[in-house]
Each structure stands twice: as C-alpha cells, then as structure tokens.
Amino acid sequence: MKVLVPVKRVIDYNVKARVKPDQTGVDLANVKMSMNPFCEIAVEEAVRMKENGVADEVVAVSIGPEKAQEQLRQALAMGADRAILVKTDAPVEPLAVAKILKAIVEQEGPELVILGKQAIDDDSNQTGQMLAALLGWPQGTFASKVEKDGAAVKVTREIDGGLQTVALEAPAVVTTDLRLNEPRYASLPNIMKAKKKPLDVKEPGDFGVDITPRLSVVKVAEPPKREAGVKVESVAELVSKLKSEAGVL
C-alpha cells in the first residue's frame, strides 16, 4: 500500500508570531520555520505503517517555497521514501491545495492519504475534507488511532461526545489529531541518508491548477492585551462589576 503524506512549512510553534506594521499579514522575516506539528504526526503514522508491514511506500508532498525542501528532507529523515515539492512563493488557499493534491493522487495512485487536521498558521481545518470530496473518497477526520482491518482502514476519531470508530474502505483520506502518536526525532544517520533520497520539484501549472486567491485579507491584528484582574470585597461588589463593567449580567 502506498501512503501519501502532505506536509506544510509554518512558523515554529515556539515562536511568537508578529504582525506586520501595516497589518497586511504576519511577519515571516528572519523567523524560524518548521514542519506543522499535525503534519509531523501524519508522517510518523505513515512511517509506522511501513515499519509494521502495512504500507510499502511513503511519499511526502509539500506546496510552498523552495525552502519547504527543508521540511520534506525532515520527512525523508523520519522514514519517508521520496518527496515532491510543488514550488510556489504565492499564498495557496486550502481549496487550491486540495486540487493540487487531487492531481498528485491521480498520478501517484496511493491507497491512503494521511495529513494533519489543520495547520497552526491559518487553522483552516479544510484541506483534508476538501480533498476527500474532490476525490469522492471516504474520510476519517481527527484520528486518534488508525489501524488496518483487512481491506478497510479503521479510524478512531475524537468528537465532542467522546470517541467514534469508523471503518473506511480504501482508498481513503485520514486527518490526524494530536493524540494519534508522538513523532520521532530523526537520527543523524537518517538525516544524512535523507539527502540522497529523491525529491522532485514541480509547479502548480504542471497540474493545471489555478492558485489565484479567492479571499482577500482585510486586516491582521494582534488580540487585545488581557487586563489585570482585581479583587473585590463582597459578592455584591462582584455582581455590580459584572453588570456595570464586564457587561455579562
């Protein structure tokens, strides 16, 4: 079974994002970038499937600037077999990402696509669902457990009321949640081996996909700073403040 794993280059989760002075977006200059944490989980799950004999090939894919090769090399060092970079410096919205991934799926013919449920930069949580809809494949979102059950893929997913287990008939799309696994650190020997693994570079035009944005950013602003709390002397004073100052009563 071939597994396709899309990964995204984002601001490292330990870095505090800064808004540009003109409020047109987030400042990415001289900022540490890394693989989206949910994508790391997806790569780890795919590599574990290969180690357990469930999958025989893991292909990592990224859509972004040339520097996204760093994140693909990380995926290769974790255990992916080869990688594909769809190179573009323009911002790509989830629907365009899903269309490009659909074209890659049609070329590669994987039986399973595993990707993070969301990226920590835009938090859209849309690409996996859109890809499944475009392909007409079953989907298991927010997966906390994935296992092969005969011809089906059994996914335990996290929902508001607890856990739900669904059986997906392959080919299928799975999006990963935080509790699915803990990604490994790539060893130095594997990092060196990853430099020799194949990495193909393509462009959105190669797949006939128009990535022109359909949305426009009006303004990006930091959330208001939280004000310090105050102590009150009585319940009556608390109720009064909640009514007059907080406006919640």
Side-chain angles (χ1 to χ4, degrees), residues 1 3-6 38 41-43 45-46 49 111-118 127-129 131-132 135 137-147 152-157 166-177 180:
M1 180 173 73
V3 181
L4 189 76
V5 187
F38 291 100
I41 293 169
V43 173
E45 190 64 23
M49 294 177 75
E111 295 178 56
L112 187 64
V113 179
I114 304 180
L115 65 163
K117 71 171 185 177
Q118 66 195 78
T127 303
Q129 292 89 327
L131 177 60
L135 290 170
W137 288 8
Q139 59 180 302
T141 56
F142 319 135
S144 60
K145 185 178 181 181
V146 178
E147 55 186 338
V153 177
K154 190 176 290 185
V155 177
T156 301
R157 53 191 305 269
V166 294
L168 311 177
E169 184 178 343
V173 175
V174 174
T175 70
T176 62
D177 213 332
L180 180 58

mmCIF file of all heavy atoms in Angstrom, residues 1 3-6 38 41-43 45-46 49 111-118 127-129 131-132 135 137-147 152-157 166-177 180:
data_model
loop_
_atom_site.group_PDB
_atom_site.id
_atom_site.type_symbol
_atom_site.label_atom_id
_atom_site.label_comp_id
_atom_site.label_asym_id
_atom_site.label_seq_id
_atom_site.Cartn_x
_atom_site.Cartn_y
_atom_site.Cartn_z
ATOM 1 N N MET A 1 0.849 -1.198 0.000
ATOM 2 C CA MET A 1 0.000 0.000 0.000
ATOM 3 C C MET A 1 0.879 1.241 0.000
ATOM 4 O O MET A 1 1.825 1.345 0.785
ATOM 5 C CB MET A 1 -0.916 0.006 1.236
ATOM 6 C CG MET A 1 -1.829 1.225 1.305
ATOM 7 S SD MET A 1 -3.043 1.138 2.643
ATOM 8 C CE MET A 1 -2.012 1.402 4.068
ATOM 9 N N VAL A 3 1.281 5.243 0.696
ATOM 10 C CA VAL A 3 0.678 6.283 1.535
ATOM 11 C C VAL A 3 1.242 7.641 1.124
ATOM 12 O O VAL A 3 2.464 7.807 1.031
ATOM 13 C CB VAL A 3 0.951 6.044 3.031
ATOM 14 C CG1 VAL A 3 0.281 7.126 3.871
ATOM 15 C CG2 VAL A 3 0.465 4.659 3.452
ATOM 16 N N LEU A 4 0.363 8.589 0.879
ATOM 17 C CA LEU A 4 0.763 9.956 0.531
ATOM 18 C C LEU A 4 0.565 10.847 1.754
ATOM 19 O O LEU A 4 -0.499 10.821 2.378
ATOM 20 C CB LEU A 4 -0.079 10.465 -0.634
ATOM 21 C CG LEU A 4 0.356 11.791 -1.255
ATOM 22 C CD1 LEU A 4 1.597 11.587 -2.126
ATOM 23 C CD2 LEU A 4 -0.771 12.384 -2.107
ATOM 24 N N VAL A 5 1.596 11.630 2.094
ATOM 25 C CA VAL A 5 1.531 12.477 3.288
ATOM 26 C C VAL A 5 1.856 13.929 2.917
ATOM 27 O O VAL A 5 3.018 14.270 2.708
ATOM 28 C CB VAL A 5 2.507 11.998 4.377
ATOM 29 C CG1 VAL A 5 2.276 12.798 5.665
ATOM 30 C CG2 VAL A 5 2.352 10.520 4.647
ATOM 31 N N PRO A 6 0.864 14.798 2.833
ATOM 32 C CA PRO A 6 1.135 16.225 2.615
ATOM 33 C C PRO A 6 1.666 16.873 3.901
ATOM 34 O O PRO A 6 1.190 16.566 5.003
ATOM 35 C CB PRO A 6 -0.238 16.795 2.256
ATOM 36 C CG PRO A 6 -1.076 15.603 1.882
ATOM 37 C CD PRO A 6 -0.561 14.487 2.716
ATOM 38 N N PHE A 38 0.947 18.920 13.284
ATOM 39 C CA PHE A 38 -0.012 17.890 12.877
ATOM 40 C C PHE A 38 0.514 17.097 11.678
ATOM 41 O O PHE A 38 0.217 15.913 11.532
ATOM 42 C CB PHE A 38 -1.365 18.524 12.547
ATOM 43 C CG PHE A 38 -2.093 19.073 13.746
ATOM 44 C CD1 PHE A 38 -2.070 20.423 14.029
ATOM 45 C CD2 PHE A 38 -2.791 18.241 14.601
ATOM 46 C CE1 PHE A 38 -2.729 20.940 15.127
ATOM 47 C CE2 PHE A 38 -3.459 18.737 15.713
ATOM 48 C CZ PHE A 38 -3.430 20.096 15.977
ATOM 49 N N ILE A 41 2.892 14.435 12.885
ATOM 50 C CA ILE A 41 2.145 13.276 13.372
ATOM 51 C C ILE A 41 1.716 12.394 12.204
ATOM 52 O O ILE A 41 1.768 11.162 12.278
ATOM 53 C CB ILE A 41 0.929 13.738 14.199
ATOM 54 C CG1 ILE A 41 1.408 14.424 15.490
ATOM 55 C CG2 ILE A 41 0.006 12.580 14.525
ATOM 56 C CD1 ILE A 41 0.308 15.143 16.257
ATOM 57 N N ALA A 42 1.299 13.027 11.101
ATOM 58 C CA ALA A 42 0.889 12.267 9.917
ATOM 59 C C ALA A 42 2.057 11.481 9.326
ATOM 60 O O ALA A 42 1.920 10.316 8.956
ATOM 61 C CB ALA A 42 0.303 13.219 8.877
ATOM 62 N N VAL A 43 3.237 12.135 9.249
ATOM 63 C CA VAL A 43 4.427 11.444 8.735
ATOM 64 C C VAL A 43 4.780 10.272 9.646
ATOM 65 O O VAL A 43 5.059 9.158 9.168
ATOM 66 C CB VAL A 43 5.620 12.418 8.637
ATOM 67 C CG1 VAL A 43 6.892 11.660 8.260
ATOM 68 C CG2 VAL A 43 5.346 13.504 7.605
ATOM 69 N N GLU A 45 2.866 8.510 11.577
ATOM 70 C CA GLU A 45 1.895 7.418 11.448
ATOM 71 C C GLU A 45 2.141 6.622 10.169
ATOM 72 O O GLU A 45 2.075 5.385 10.172
ATOM 73 C CB GLU A 45 0.476 7.978 11.460
ATOM 74 C CG GLU A 45 -0.618 6.930 11.579
ATOM 75 C CD GLU A 45 -0.566 6.170 12.906
ATOM 76 O OE1 GLU A 45 -0.010 6.713 13.885
ATOM 77 O OE2 GLU A 45 -1.083 5.024 12.948
ATOM 78 N N ALA A 46 2.433 7.343 9.067
ATOM 79 C CA ALA A 46 2.698 6.661 7.806
ATOM 80 C C ALA A 46 3.955 5.805 7.899
ATOM 81 O O ALA A 46 3.988 4.666 7.413
ATOM 82 C CB ALA A 46 2.838 7.684 6.680
ATOM 83 N N MET A 49 3.276 2.674 9.825
ATOM 84 C CA MET A 49 2.549 1.716 8.999
ATOM 85 C C MET A 49 3.511 0.952 8.094
ATOM 86 O O MET A 49 3.372 -0.257 7.884
ATOM 87 C CB MET A 49 1.481 2.428 8.172
ATOM 88 C CG MET A 49 0.362 3.038 8.991
ATOM 89 S SD MET A 49 -0.846 3.955 8.004
ATOM 90 C CE MET A 49 -1.731 2.604 7.257
ATOM 91 N N GLU A 111 -3.194 4.431 -1.858
ATOM 92 C CA GLU A 111 -4.423 3.871 -1.291
ATOM 93 C C GLU A 111 -4.860 4.620 -0.038
ATOM 94 O O GLU A 111 -5.974 4.430 0.443
ATOM 95 C CB GLU A 111 -4.209 2.393 -0.943
ATOM 96 C CG GLU A 111 -3.960 1.519 -2.158
ATOM 97 C CD GLU A 111 -3.713 0.076 -1.762
ATOM 98 O OE1 GLU A 111 -4.577 -0.500 -1.070
ATOM 99 O OE2 GLU A 111 -2.657 -0.466 -2.127
ATOM 100 N N LEU A 112 -3.953 5.456 0.476
ATOM 101 C CA LEU A 112 -4.274 6.202 1.690
ATOM 102 C C LEU A 112 -3.550 7.545 1.656
ATOM 103 O O LEU A 112 -2.379 7.613 1.296
ATOM 104 C CB LEU A 112 -3.844 5.418 2.932
ATOM 105 C CG LEU A 112 -4.258 5.973 4.301
ATOM 106 C CD1 LEU A 112 -5.784 5.956 4.451
ATOM 107 C CD2 LEU A 112 -3.621 5.159 5.424
ATOM 108 N N VAL A 113 -4.272 8.604 2.015
ATOM 109 C CA VAL A 113 -3.677 9.929 2.197
ATOM 110 C C VAL A 113 -3.837 10.299 3.663
ATOM 111 O O VAL A 113 -4.955 10.332 4.174
ATOM 112 C CB VAL A 113 -4.351 10.991 1.303
ATOM 113 C CG1 VAL A 113 -3.712 12.368 1.552
ATOM 114 C CG2 VAL A 113 -4.248 10.614 -0.166
ATOM 115 N N ILE A 114 -2.718 10.549 4.332
ATOM 116 C CA ILE A 114 -2.747 10.954 5.743
ATOM 117 C C ILE A 114 -2.181 12.361 5.838
ATOM 118 O O ILE A 114 -1.057 12.620 5.393
ATOM 119 C CB ILE A 114 -1.914 10.008 6.633
ATOM 120 C CG1 ILE A 114 -2.387 8.562 6.488
ATOM 121 C CG2 ILE A 114 -2.004 10.441 8.092
ATOM 122 C CD1 ILE A 114 -1.604 7.585 7.343
ATOM 123 N N LEU A 115 -2.943 13.268 6.428
ATOM 124 C CA LEU A 115 -2.467 14.639 6.590
ATOM 125 C C LEU A 115 -2.957 15.208 7.909
ATOM 126 O O LEU A 115 -3.893 14.678 8.515
ATOM 127 C CB LEU A 115 -2.926 15.516 5.429
ATOM 128 C CG LEU A 115 -4.413 15.785 5.218
ATOM 129 C CD1 LEU A 115 -4.600 16.988 4.295
ATOM 130 C CD2 LEU A 115 -5.115 14.593 4.584
ATOM 131 N N GLY A 116 -2.286 16.257 8.373
ATOM 132 C CA GLY A 116 -2.683 16.895 9.622
ATOM 133 C C GLY A 116 -4.075 17.492 9.514
ATOM 134 O O GLY A 116 -4.492 17.949 8.445
ATOM 135 N N LYS A 117 -4.799 17.495 10.617
ATOM 136 C CA LYS A 117 -6.179 18.007 10.568
ATOM 137 C C LYS A 117 -6.215 19.511 10.293
ATOM 138 O O LYS A 117 -7.196 20.025 9.762
ATOM 139 C CB LYS A 117 -6.916 17.693 11.866
ATOM 140 C CG LYS A 117 -6.450 18.494 13.084
ATOM 141 C CD LYS A 117 -7.387 18.286 14.269
ATOM 142 C CE LYS A 117 -6.989 19.178 15.450
ATOM 143 N NZ LYS A 117 -7.930 19.048 16.574
ATOM 144 N N GLN A 118 -5.128 20.220 10.658
ATOM 145 C CA GLN A 118 -5.080 21.655 10.421
ATOM 146 C C GLN A 118 -3.636 22.125 10.501
ATOM 147 O O GLN A 118 -2.774 21.402 11.007
ATOM 148 C CB GLN A 118 -5.923 22.410 11.448
ATOM 149 C CG GLN A 118 -5.391 22.303 12.872
ATOM 150 C CD GLN A 118 -6.397 22.740 13.917
ATOM 151 O OE1 GLN A 118 -7.313 21.992 14.252
ATOM 152 N NE2 GLN A 118 -6.236 23.948 14.418
ATOM 153 N N THR A 127 -8.425 21.303 4.296
ATOM 154 C CA THR A 127 -7.792 20.630 3.152
ATOM 155 C C THR A 127 -8.165 19.154 3.066
ATOM 156 O O THR A 127 -8.501 18.656 1.993
ATOM 157 C CB THR A 127 -6.259 20.785 3.224
ATOM 158 O OG1 THR A 127 -5.937 22.173 3.260
ATOM 159 C CG2 THR A 127 -5.604 20.140 2.017
ATOM 160 N N GLY A 128 -8.097 18.437 4.176
ATOM 161 C CA GLY A 128 -8.412 17.012 4.159
ATOM 162 C C GLY A 128 -9.828 16.738 3.702
ATOM 163 O O GLY A 128 -10.074 15.858 2.854
ATOM 164 N N GLN A 129 -10.762 17.506 4.233
ATOM 165 C CA GLN A 129 -12.168 17.312 3.870
ATOM 166 C C GLN A 129 -12.409 17.660 2.405
ATOM 167 O O GLN A 129 -13.148 16.976 1.689
ATOM 168 C CB GLN A 129 -13.057 18.180 4.775
ATOM 169 C CG GLN A 129 -13.067 17.742 6.237
ATOM 170 C CD GLN A 129 -11.974 18.399 7.064
ATOM 171 O OE1 GLN A 129 -10.885 18.683 6.576
ATOM 172 N NE2 GLN A 129 -12.247 18.636 8.333
ATOM 173 N N LEU A 131 -10.174 17.575 -0.020
ATOM 174 C CA LEU A 131 -9.534 16.562 -0.853
ATOM 175 C C LEU A 131 -10.412 15.318 -0.963
ATOM 176 O O LEU A 131 -10.593 14.766 -2.058
ATOM 177 C CB LEU A 131 -8.168 16.197 -0.267
ATOM 178 C CG LEU A 131 -7.405 15.082 -0.985
ATOM 179 C CD1 LEU A 131 -7.129 15.465 -2.437
ATOM 180 C CD2 LEU A 131 -6.117 14.760 -0.253
ATOM 181 N N ALA A 132 -10.972 14.878 0.157
ATOM 182 C CA ALA A 132 -11.843 13.701 0.136
ATOM 183 C C ALA A 132 -13.063 13.943 -0.752
ATOM 184 O O ALA A 132 -13.490 13.065 -1.508
ATOM 185 C CB ALA A 132 -12.281 13.350 1.556
ATOM 186 N N LEU A 135 -12.018 13.879 -4.474
ATOM 187 C CA LEU A 135 -11.700 12.526 -4.925
ATOM 188 C C LEU A 135 -12.903 11.589 -4.866
ATOM 189 O O LEU A 135 -12.916 10.544 -5.517
ATOM 190 C CB LEU A 135 -10.573 11.950 -4.055
ATOM 191 C CG LEU A 135 -9.183 12.561 -4.229
ATOM 192 C CD1 LEU A 135 -8.247 12.060 -3.130
ATOM 193 C CD2 LEU A 135 -8.607 12.221 -5.610
ATOM 194 N N TRP A 137 -13.643 10.111 -2.036
ATOM 195 C CA TRP A 137 -13.159 9.059 -1.140
ATOM 196 C C TRP A 137 -13.784 9.207 0.247
ATOM 197 O O TRP A 137 -14.141 10.315 0.657
ATOM 198 C CB TRP A 137 -11.645 9.145 -0.995
ATOM 199 C CG TRP A 137 -10.861 8.715 -2.192
ATOM 200 C CD1 TRP A 137 -11.338 8.408 -3.432
ATOM 201 C CD2 TRP A 137 -9.434 8.560 -2.255
ATOM 202 N NE1 TRP A 137 -10.303 8.063 -4.265
ATOM 203 C CE2 TRP A 137 -9.131 8.149 -3.577
ATOM 204 C CE3 TRP A 137 -8.396 8.727 -1.346
ATOM 205 C CZ2 TRP A 137 -7.815 7.906 -3.992
ATOM 206 C CZ3 TRP A 137 -7.092 8.495 -1.744
ATOM 207 C CH2 TRP A 137 -6.810 8.078 -3.061
ATOM 208 N N PRO A 138 -13.893 8.101 0.988
ATOM 209 C CA PRO A 138 -14.306 8.215 2.394
ATOM 210 C C PRO A 138 -13.229 8.913 3.204
ATOM 211 O O PRO A 138 -12.049 8.894 2.840
ATOM 212 C CB PRO A 138 -14.480 6.754 2.826
ATOM 213 C CG PRO A 138 -13.614 5.973 1.899
ATOM 214 C CD PRO A 138 -13.643 6.707 0.589
ATOM 215 N N GLN A 139 -13.634 9.529 4.316
ATOM 216 C CA GLN A 139 -12.670 10.252 5.136
ATOM 217 C C GLN A 139 -12.879 9.960 6.612
ATOM 218 O O GLN A 139 -13.993 9.743 7.079
ATOM 219 C CB GLN A 139 -12.785 11.755 4.891
ATOM 220 C CG GLN A 139 -14.169 12.330 5.199
ATOM 221 C CD GLN A 139 -14.254 13.812 4.942
ATOM 222 O OE1 GLN A 139 -13.505 14.586 5.519
ATOM 223 N NE2 GLN A 139 -15.163 14.218 4.064
ATOM 224 N N GLY A 140 -11.760 9.947 7.344
ATOM 225 C CA GLY A 140 -11.792 9.827 8.799
ATOM 226 C C GLY A 140 -10.999 10.981 9.374
ATOM 227 O O GLY A 140 -9.771 11.024 9.255
ATOM 228 N N THR A 141 -11.691 11.956 9.965
ATOM 229 C CA THR A 141 -11.032 13.163 10.457
ATOM 230 C C THR A 141 -10.750 13.067 11.956
ATOM 231 O O THR A 141 -11.373 12.295 12.671
ATOM 232 C CB THR A 141 -11.896 14.400 10.173
ATOM 233 O OG1 THR A 141 -13.200 14.194 10.752
ATOM 234 C CG2 THR A 141 -12.075 14.609 8.679
ATOM 235 N N PHE A 142 -9.782 13.870 12.419
ATOM 236 C CA PHE A 142 -9.429 13.967 13.841
ATOM 237 C C PHE A 142 -9.062 12.602 14.434
ATOM 238 O O PHE A 142 -9.519 12.226 15.505
ATOM 239 C CB PHE A 142 -10.567 14.598 14.661
ATOM 240 C CG PHE A 142 -11.233 15.762 13.988
ATOM 241 C CD1 PHE A 142 -12.607 15.881 13.967
ATOM 242 C CD2 PHE A 142 -10.484 16.741 13.352
ATOM 243 C CE1 PHE A 142 -13.223 16.955 13.336
ATOM 244 C CE2 PHE A 142 -11.094 17.813 12.724
ATOM 245 C CZ PHE A 142 -12.464 17.919 12.716
ATOM 246 N N ALA A 143 -8.241 11.865 13.705
ATOM 247 C CA ALA A 143 -7.929 10.483 14.105
ATOM 248 C C ALA A 143 -7.015 10.434 15.317
ATOM 249 O O ALA A 143 -5.973 11.086 15.353
ATOM 250 C CB ALA A 143 -7.275 9.754 12.933
ATOM 251 N N SER A 144 -7.397 9.646 16.314
ATOM 252 C CA SER A 144 -6.526 9.382 17.466
ATOM 253 C C SER A 144 -5.991 7.953 17.420
ATOM 254 O O SER A 144 -5.149 7.573 18.228
ATOM 255 C CB SER A 144 -7.282 9.610 18.782
ATOM 256 O OG SER A 144 -8.402 8.748 18.881
ATOM 257 N N LYS A 145 -6.485 7.150 16.458
ATOM 258 C CA LYS A 145 -5.974 5.797 16.257
ATOM 259 C C LYS A 145 -6.312 5.364 14.833
ATOM 260 O O LYS A 145 -7.431 5.575 14.372
ATOM 261 C CB LYS A 145 -6.595 4.824 17.268
ATOM 262 C CG LYS A 145 -6.014 3.420 17.202
ATOM 263 C CD LYS A 145 -6.633 2.523 18.273
ATOM 264 C CE LYS A 145 -6.050 1.126 18.239
ATOM 265 N NZ LYS A 145 -6.668 0.238 19.266
ATOM 266 N N VAL A 146 -5.320 4.783 14.156
ATOM 267 C CA VAL A 146 -5.520 4.292 12.793
ATOM 268 C C VAL A 146 -4.967 2.879 12.709
ATOM 269 O O VAL A 146 -3.834 2.623 13.113
ATOM 270 C CB VAL A 146 -4.804 5.187 11.750
ATOM 271 C CG1 VAL A 146 -4.998 4.629 10.342
ATOM 272 C CG2 VAL A 146 -5.309 6.624 11.820
ATOM 273 N N GLU A 147 -5.766 1.946 12.202
ATOM 274 C CA GLU A 147 -5.300 0.571 12.051
ATOM 275 C C GLU A 147 -5.929 -0.061 10.821
ATOM 276 O O GLU A 147 -7.053 0.248 10.440
ATOM 277 C CB GLU A 147 -5.612 -0.250 13.304
ATOM 278 C CG GLU A 147 -7.061 -0.243 13.715
ATOM 279 C CD GLU A 147 -7.300 -0.941 15.040
ATOM 280 O OE1 GLU A 147 -6.458 -1.761 15.436
ATOM 281 O OE2 GLU A 147 -8.342 -0.674 15.670
ATOM 282 N N ALA A 152 -10.193 -2.772 4.966
ATOM 283 C CA ALA A 152 -10.650 -1.469 5.454
ATOM 284 C C ALA A 152 -9.590 -0.812 6.331
ATOM 285 O O ALA A 152 -8.667 -1.454 6.828
ATOM 286 C CB ALA A 152 -11.951 -1.630 6.241
ATOM 287 N N VAL A 153 -9.736 0.490 6.508
ATOM 288 C CA VAL A 153 -8.910 1.253 7.444
ATOM 289 C C VAL A 153 -9.828 1.696 8.578
ATOM 290 O O VAL A 153 -10.806 2.424 8.349
ATOM 291 C CB VAL A 153 -8.265 2.480 6.765
ATOM 292 C CG1 VAL A 153 -7.466 3.287 7.779
ATOM 293 C CG2 VAL A 153 -7.383 2.053 5.597
ATOM 294 N N LYS A 154 -9.529 1.244 9.788
ATOM 295 C CA LYS A 154 -10.364 1.572 10.939
ATOM 296 C C LYS A 154 -9.775 2.799 11.640
ATOM 297 O O LYS A 154 -8.606 2.809 12.020
ATOM 298 C CB LYS A 154 -10.435 0.387 11.904
ATOM 299 C CG LYS A 154 -11.479 0.556 12.994
ATOM 300 C CD LYS A 154 -11.574 -0.686 13.873
ATOM 301 C CE LYS A 154 -12.197 -1.855 13.140
ATOM 302 N NZ LYS A 154 -12.401 -3.016 14.043
ATOM 303 N N VAL A 155 -10.590 3.831 11.788
ATOM 304 C CA VAL A 155 -10.138 5.104 12.366
ATOM 305 C C VAL A 155 -10.964 5.421 13.606
ATOM 306 O O VAL A 155 -12.196 5.457 13.542
ATOM 307 C CB VAL A 155 -10.271 6.258 11.344
ATOM 308 C CG1 VAL A 155 -9.871 7.581 11.983
ATOM 309 C CG2 VAL A 155 -9.410 5.986 10.116
ATOM 310 N N THR A 156 -10.275 5.614 14.722
ATOM 311 C CA THR A 156 -10.931 6.104 15.930
ATOM 312 C C THR A 156 -10.743 7.609 15.954
ATOM 313 O O THR A 156 -9.611 8.100 15.954
ATOM 314 C CB THR A 156 -10.318 5.482 17.197
ATOM 315 O OG1 THR A 156 -10.450 4.059 17.125
ATOM 316 C CG2 THR A 156 -11.019 5.999 18.442
ATOM 317 N N ARG A 157 -11.856 8.335 15.933
ATOM 318 C CA ARG A 157 -11.778 9.789 15.815
ATOM 319 C C ARG A 157 -12.370 10.463 17.046
ATOM 320 O O ARG A 157 -13.289 9.942 17.702
ATOM 321 C CB ARG A 157 -12.479 10.264 14.548
ATOM 322 C CG ARG A 157 -13.905 9.785 14.370
ATOM 323 C CD ARG A 157 -14.429 10.090 12.971
ATOM 324 N NE ARG A 157 -14.320 11.495 12.643
ATOM 325 C CZ ARG A 157 -15.293 12.379 12.877
ATOM 326 N NH1 ARG A 157 -16.430 11.992 13.445
ATOM 327 N NH2 ARG A 157 -15.127 13.638 12.555
ATOM 328 N N VAL A 166 -14.793 4.529 12.931
ATOM 329 C CA VAL A 166 -15.379 4.347 11.601
ATOM 330 C C VAL A 166 -14.473 3.428 10.788
ATOM 331 O O VAL A 166 -13.260 3.407 10.973
ATOM 332 C CB VAL A 166 -15.564 5.696 10.867
ATOM 333 C CG1 VAL A 166 -16.585 6.555 11.580
ATOM 334 C CG2 VAL A 166 -14.234 6.448 10.744
ATOM 335 N N ALA A 167 -15.057 2.647 9.911
ATOM 336 C CA ALA A 167 -14.305 1.777 9.007
ATOM 337 C C ALA A 167 -14.381 2.363 7.612
ATOM 338 O O ALA A 167 -15.474 2.544 7.063
ATOM 339 C CB ALA A 167 -14.859 0.359 9.040
ATOM 340 N N LEU A 168 -13.243 2.682 7.043
ATOM 341 C CA LEU A 168 -13.182 3.310 5.725
ATOM 342 C C LEU A 168 -12.707 2.290 4.702
ATOM 343 O O LEU A 168 -11.714 1.591 4.921
ATOM 344 C CB LEU A 168 -12.213 4.495 5.738
ATOM 345 C CG LEU A 168 -12.366 5.517 6.876
ATOM 346 C CD1 LEU A 168 -11.274 6.565 6.771
ATOM 347 C CD2 LEU A 168 -13.745 6.159 6.831
ATOM 348 N N GLU A 169 -13.394 2.224 3.590
ATOM 349 C CA GLU A 169 -12.974 1.357 2.501
ATOM 350 C C GLU A 169 -11.922 2.090 1.675
ATOM 351 O O GLU A 169 -12.184 3.164 1.130
ATOM 352 C CB GLU A 169 -14.175 0.981 1.631
ATOM 353 C CG GLU A 169 -13.834 -0.003 0.520
ATOM 354 C CD GLU A 169 -15.054 -0.387 -0.293
ATOM 355 O OE1 GLU A 169 -16.185 -0.156 0.180
ATOM 356 O OE2 GLU A 169 -14.867 -0.901 -1.416
ATOM 357 N N ALA A 170 -10.709 1.540 1.614
ATOM 358 C CA ALA A 170 -9.623 2.185 0.875
ATOM 359 C C ALA A 170 -9.953 2.220 -0.619
ATOM 360 O O ALA A 170 -10.628 1.309 -1.117
ATOM 361 C CB ALA A 170 -8.313 1.454 1.114
ATOM 362 N N PRO A 171 -9.511 3.273 -1.328
ATOM 363 C CA PRO A 171 -8.665 4.382 -0.869
ATOM 364 C C PRO A 171 -9.444 5.380 -0.008
ATOM 365 O O PRO A 171 -10.651 5.541 -0.195
ATOM 366 C CB PRO A 171 -8.191 5.013 -2.179
ATOM 367 C CG PRO A 171 -9.289 4.711 -3.161
ATOM 368 C CD PRO A 171 -9.804 3.359 -2.779
ATOM 369 N N ALA A 172 -8.726 6.033 0.910
ATOM 370 C CA ALA A 172 -9.387 6.910 1.859
ATOM 371 C C ALA A 172 -8.457 8.048 2.272
ATOM 372 O O ALA A 172 -7.255 8.024 2.019
ATOM 373 C CB ALA A 172 -9.825 6.116 3.095
ATOM 374 N N VAL A 173 -9.054 9.046 2.921
ATOM 375 C CA VAL A 173 -8.324 10.202 3.440
ATOM 376 C C VAL A 173 -8.472 10.218 4.956
ATOM 377 O O VAL A 173 -9.584 10.066 5.477
ATOM 378 C CB VAL A 173 -8.857 11.524 2.853
ATOM 379 C CG1 VAL A 173 -8.165 12.723 3.494
ATOM 380 C CG2 VAL A 173 -8.673 11.553 1.341
ATOM 381 N N VAL A 174 -7.351 10.392 5.663
ATOM 382 C CA VAL A 174 -7.366 10.447 7.124
ATOM 383 C C VAL A 174 -6.651 11.718 7.575
ATOM 384 O O VAL A 174 -5.567 12.038 7.067
ATOM 385 C CB VAL A 174 -6.662 9.213 7.743
ATOM 386 C CG1 VAL A 174 -6.546 9.361 9.262
ATOM 387 C CG2 VAL A 174 -7.409 7.937 7.384
ATOM 388 N N THR A 175 -7.262 12.460 8.503
ATOM 389 C CA THR A 175 -6.585 13.616 9.091
ATOM 390 C C THR A 175 -6.277 13.318 10.552
ATOM 391 O O THR A 175 -7.075 12.714 11.256
ATOM 392 C CB THR A 175 -7.434 14.904 8.983
ATOM 393 O OG1 THR A 175 -8.566 14.832 9.853
ATOM 394 C CG2 THR A 175 -7.908 15.114 7.558
ATOM 395 N N THR A 176 -5.085 13.754 10.998
ATOM 396 C CA THR A 176 -4.567 13.335 12.291
ATOM 397 C C THR A 176 -4.817 14.355 13.394
ATOM 398 O O THR A 176 -4.753 15.564 13.169
ATOM 399 C CB THR A 176 -3.056 13.083 12.199
ATOM 400 O OG1 THR A 176 -2.398 14.309 11.831
ATOM 401 C CG2 THR A 176 -2.749 12.038 11.151
ATOM 402 N N ASP A 177 -5.071 13.832 14.596
ATOM 403 C CA ASP A 177 -5.197 14.662 15.790
ATOM 404 C C ASP A 177 -3.944 14.496 16.643
ATOM 405 O O ASP A 177 -3.099 13.634 16.380
ATOM 406 C CB ASP A 177 -6.444 14.278 16.576
ATOM 407 C CG ASP A 177 -7.076 15.478 17.276
ATOM 408 O OD1 ASP A 177 -6.340 16.421 17.604
ATOM 409 O OD2 ASP A 177 -8.307 15.479 17.488
ATOM 410 N N LEU A 180 -2.732 10.947 18.304
ATOM 411 C CA LEU A 180 -2.502 9.766 17.471
ATOM 412 C C LEU A 180 -1.157 9.122 17.773
ATOM 413 O O LEU A 180 -1.043 7.901 17.889
ATOM 414 C CB LEU A 180 -2.586 10.150 15.990
ATOM 415 C CG LEU A 180 -2.359 9.032 14.983
ATOM 416 C CD1 LEU A 180 -3.349 7.902 15.188
ATOM 417 C CD2 LEU A 180 -2.457 9.565 13.557
#
